[in-house]
Amino acid sequence: MRDARPTDRQLAIDHAPVDVRAAFAALLALDERFGQIVRATREPMVGQMRLTWWYEALVRLDTAPAPAEPLLRELQDHVLQHGIAGAELAELVEGWEALLDPVDAEVIDRHANLRGGRLFALAGRLMPGDATALHEAGRGWAAADLATHLTLPDGVVHADARATEALNQAFSKSWPRSSRAIGTLALLQHLRLRGLTAVRGYVALTRFWLVGR
């Protein structure tokens, strides 16, 4: 039987304002696409070629209609309409390119900053919030996600430690209602790192949606 519970991403999307929900979903789908490429890569050169294709295709969105790739069309139709350039989306590639190198603490930090920090900053253009909290939340979310989903036996401990540090800082003060949908992604990772039970985690998440912390 399939798990009927919503994913972290779907929970976050569902709590986004209606007028930016499609753009937020497209941003997260782009991040997921990059993750799929890296996870499927066995030869770094092949992974680099695929990421380069996406980089160039995203940059071209600023000057030409999107090709017949559904995600590129969604990004052009929804994200670019909110003043985010294709070239800015292309910069997200750098966070995933970092993982094509042997993973160590420096690579984890680079991935966390260039993936999570940038992604949350772009989402903050759709749903404004405190820039520092968004960056730290994105950095912590990416590091925690790395530890959870990728096989990194030598980097997991470092990723967990960096995630905890960043997320503690991100949630040290209240979040405005406007950016709580973004914070939802990071908070769910934070709750897992803290090892809260499902019930306590649900209470913490509900409180965040209501009061921002």
Side-chain angles (χ1 to χ4, degrees):
M1 180 180 296
R2 294 180 59 185
D3 191 340
R5 292 174 299 180
T7 64
D8 291 6
R9 291 170 187 258
Q10 194 57 53
L11 271 175
I13 292 166
D14 289 345
H15 281 81
V18 173
D19 61 331
V20 297
R21 194 170 292 167
F24 188 37
L27 268 181
L28 296 183
L30 179 63
D31 178 75
E32 177 62 24
R33 181 67 60 87
F34 293 156
Q36 290 169 352
I37 290 171
V38 171
R39 284 191 290 270
T41 294
R42 297 295 176 265
E43 294 293 333
M45 185 174 294
V46 174
Q48 182 66 67
M49 290 174 61
R50 295 183 67 189
L51 289 173
T52 298
W53 183 92
W54 273 95
Y55 182 94
E56 294 173 349
L58 289 165
V59 170
R60 282 196 296 270
L61 293 181
D62 292 329
T63 56
E69 156 59 54
L71 180 52
L72 289 173
R73 290 184 173 181
E74 289 177 20
L75 292 163
Q76 191 166 64
D77 290 345
H78 300 296
V79 178
L80 269 62
Q81 301 307 311
H82 289 277
I84 296 172
E88 293 176 290
L89 297 176
E91 291 177 351
L92 294 172
V93 167
E94 295 179 20
W96 287 101
E97 282 179 332
L99 298 183
L100 298 178
D101 294 329
V103 175
D104 56 19
E106 182 181 349
V107 166
I108 291 170
D109 285 341
R110 191 160 75 246
H111 172 74
N113 279 296
L114 299 182
R115 177 202 177 190
R118 284 180 176 175
L119 180 66
F120 276 45
L122 290 176
R125 301 261 292 276
L126 305 173
M127 296 169 279
D130 180 87
T132 299
L134 284 167
H135 178 79
E136 291 302 308
R139 189 167 71 89
W141 167 79
D145 189 60
L146 184 66
T148 301
H149 292 103
L150 295 184
T151 304
L152 300 170
D154 297 326
V156 168
V157 173
H158 298 293
D160 279 349
R162 282 159 172 72
T164 298
E165 176 187 8
L167 293 170
N168 282 340
Q169 183 171 341
F171 293 105
S172 62
K173 57 184 179 180
S174 295
W175 282 54
R177 186 176 299 276
S178 57
S179 60
R180 288 176 197 168
I182 309 170
T184 295
L185 286 170
L187 182 60
L188 287 165
Q189 290 286 15
H190 195 27
L191 296 175
R192 292 190 186 99
L193 289 174
R194 292 163 59 192
L196 294 186
T197 64
V199 172
R200 291 184 64 189
Y202 177 77
V203 170
L205 187 59
T206 301
R207 183 176 65 244
F208 177 72
W209 288 334
L210 292 174
V211 301
R213 62 180 309 166

